[in-house]
Amino acid sequence: MSFTLHGAAAGGGIAIGQAHLISSARLEVAHYAIAPEKTELEVMRLSTAVDKVRAELQELRRSVPAGAPAELGAFLSLHLMILDDAMLSHAPRELIRSMRCNAEWALVLQMDQLVAQFDKIEDSYLRERKADVVQVVERVLKAMQNQRGHPSPASAHEESMVVVAHDLSPADMMLFKQHQYAGFVTDLGGVTSHTAILARSLDIPAIVGAHTARRMVREGELVIVDGVHGVLIVDPDELVLAEYQKRQRELEQRRQKLKRIRSTPATTMDGTAVDLHANIELPQDVEQARKSGATGVGLFRSEFLFLNRDDLPGEDEQFEAYRMVARAMDGMPVTIRTLDLGADKTVNGSARGGPNPAMGLRAIRLCLAEPQMFMAQLRAILRASHYGKIRLLIPMLAHAHEILQSLAMIDRARALLDAQGLPYDREMKIGGMIEVPAAALALGVFVRKLDFLSIGTNDLIQYTLAIDRTDDNVSHLYDPLHPAVLHLIAHTIKTGARMKVPVAVCGEMAGDATLTRLLLGFGLRQFSMHPANLLAIKQQVLKSDLRDLTQPANKILRCEDPEKAKRLLEKLNA
Ligand code: PEP
Ligand code: MG
């Protein structure tokens, strides 16, 4: 039966394909059916992996050194207990037999159930133990991955599959970079959650906040993902299917046409040059950035180097990564943002920080609390600056002392490199992100102490309107046109221009073609966005005349009625 679900549009375009249900993509397991005569073999595969992990944990417990903290032994015993609990050791075997599914799938299904039970526990210590359950399951999955001769997952036809999940973390989305799925749908998530941002960076149609998709859609069902309007159509009839196939072809034609302006300089009709830079998450994204015609990297979200791994990348590994990007951009600016870990981006094994992670020890707050980790990154960035035009960008600043402490740390890193005779760019520019309303309202110290500013509109909107960007329950309140948001953005751009401190916008607003003229009218000349959006923004720049924009932009800025502001924006874009 055909039905439609609505969510938030998180990645443009239209995808048509078979639904592929994912339980917990962080564990990114394959989901495939097992032939009836092979189910016992599959059960054995699981048992062998569990035995192997048990032996590993026992060995680890035996080798705990005498002086080690008592918690270490207790922690390993807890993991052994979890491993042998019937919910994990027995139930998945039954699932393999009854559902005829592969062992990984059964294990993750069972884990999801357990985790859901933990979520209901009142006691916060016990509730947090769900992280241990996940870790144990990950160990078993890893053991299965390493088994020789294990059948290859059903990864064939990925291009015609649409992933449907309850929730995907940013770390999960990173894993999908290695895949070629046609589209994504998640029940949870806001439009500017990092999960949605990464879906856009994959340049495939995506919907977040579809609420019940994971429950209502069946494996293998034909679905249409309209990533432009945030609509999911399940089991469409022939007419609807034909209509969407037509729209898909039209969108593709438009995309191909846009490629023609790839190497056209981004200059307005009145001759003003505008910088269009790319946002990247991993060094390999630089290829897509170059292909899009970006004239620099305006935001390298360096924390993504830290996800999906059990250890932290050291100074040398980071240095190699940053140097690779600097070299690949061949003299064009590369803006490396220092670690923005915390909130929805956590490293393996660490729990989400504090009762309210978005307001907790995140980004620069975390870095200043962990000077050793911060210093390794600062040294790596400085060393890489010798090989290209690197700029360093500090996220989530709010206080003068955070700026001063960060600058002092950078000076210390320089002194250490000098003492070792290691080269770095002595002119490397240092900038700060304007993402907290307090920063936008107290710009004095920012423009005095920093070389450039970059407005992170995703967080600026989150903190100005008090809406958690990862929570789809409040995503209808996300409004880039809210007068308070526009005021903070315009004020920052205008103050930067007056004080001769360059200002960029690197949040999702920069990649929204309906807002390009408004931002140009406020005086913005540097935009940084996902490469997939770059040509559409360039098209807007090419057909804009700044002389026509300032007055209407200021009118929108003064407008307190949201509906009227929308109408004025439509007029500006007409
Ligand atoms: C922002 O907040 O707008 C931004 C660019 O940073 P991130 O999305 O990574 O938080
Ligand atoms: Mg941010």
Side-chain angles (χ1 to χ4, degrees), residues 519-532:
L519 293 172
L520 284 170
F522 289 163
L524 187 73
R525 301 292 176 261
Q526 284 184 27
F527 295 66
S528 191
M529 70 218 81
H530 275 297

Side-chain angles (χ1 to χ4, degrees), residues 22-219:
I22 298 260
S23 298
S24 167
R26 180 147 68 81
L27 306 161
E28 209 222 356
V29 298
H31 297 62
Y32 51 99
I34 299 290
E37 67 278 13
K38 298 238 168 93
T39 46
E40 286 314 308
L41 269 179
E42 194 62 12
V43 169
M44 233 161 66
R45 203 161 75 77
L46 176 62
S47 306
T48 313
V50 170
D51 290 347
K52 183 165 179 275
V53 170
R54 189 182 303 105
E56 273 172 18
L57 289 172
Q58 283 166 343
E59 179 52 35
L60 277 171
R61 197 171 49 176
R62 261 196 303 277
S63 55
V64 171
E71 290 85 12
L72 188 55
F75 163 82
L76 290 166
S77 301
L78 173 69
H79 278 209
L80 275 162
M81 252 169 62
I82 293 172
L83 182 71
D84 284 327
D85 190 284
M87 284 283 278
L88 278 189
S89 62
H90 182 69
R93 292 178 173 86
E94 287 315 306
L95 278 176
I96 296 173
R97 292 185 180 114
S98 58
M99 282 176 55
R100 302 223 180 95
C101 62
N102 61 312
E104 289 90 342
W105 189 353
L107 190 60
V108 168
L109 270 178
Q110 198 51 34
M111 182 199 75
D112 282 347
Q113 273 206 20
L114 257 178
V115 164
Q117 289 182 10
F118 271 91
D119 277 335
K120 290 191 200 129
I121 298 178
E122 293 260 323
D123 182 289
S124 65
Y125 174 79
L126 285 178
R127 201 172 50 237
E128 289 311 318
R129 299 287 57 80
K130 73 176 176 196
D132 294 289
V133 173
V134 174
Q135 281 166 15
V136 170
V137 169
E138 280 176 334
R139 252 181 197 276
V140 179
L141 290 171
K142 216 180 260 176
M144 279 194 279
Q145 235 172 37
N146 297 339
Q147 286 165 347
R148 282 213 221 153
H150 119 61
S152 65
S155 58
H157 317 298
E158 266 180 11
E159 326 73 60
S160 58
M161 282 174 165
V162 170
V163 168
V164 181
H166 182 60
D167 189 16
L168 294 171
S169 72
D172 299 333
M173 290 305 290
M174 292 308 283
L175 294 172
F176 285 123
K177 285 205 177 210
Q178 299 144 21
H179 294 262
Q180 290 168 342
Y181 292 111
F184 283 92
V185 182
T186 61
D187 290 345
L188 304 183
V191 266
T192 60
S193 63
H194 285 96
T195 302
I197 290 174
L198 286 168
R200 274 191 282 282
S201 83
L202 294 174
D203 197 15
I204 52 175
I207 299 172
V208 293
H211 302 283
T212 51
R214 178 68 178 75
R215 209 159 18 105
M216 300 201 37
V217 179
R218 284 193 311 245
E219 179 75 25

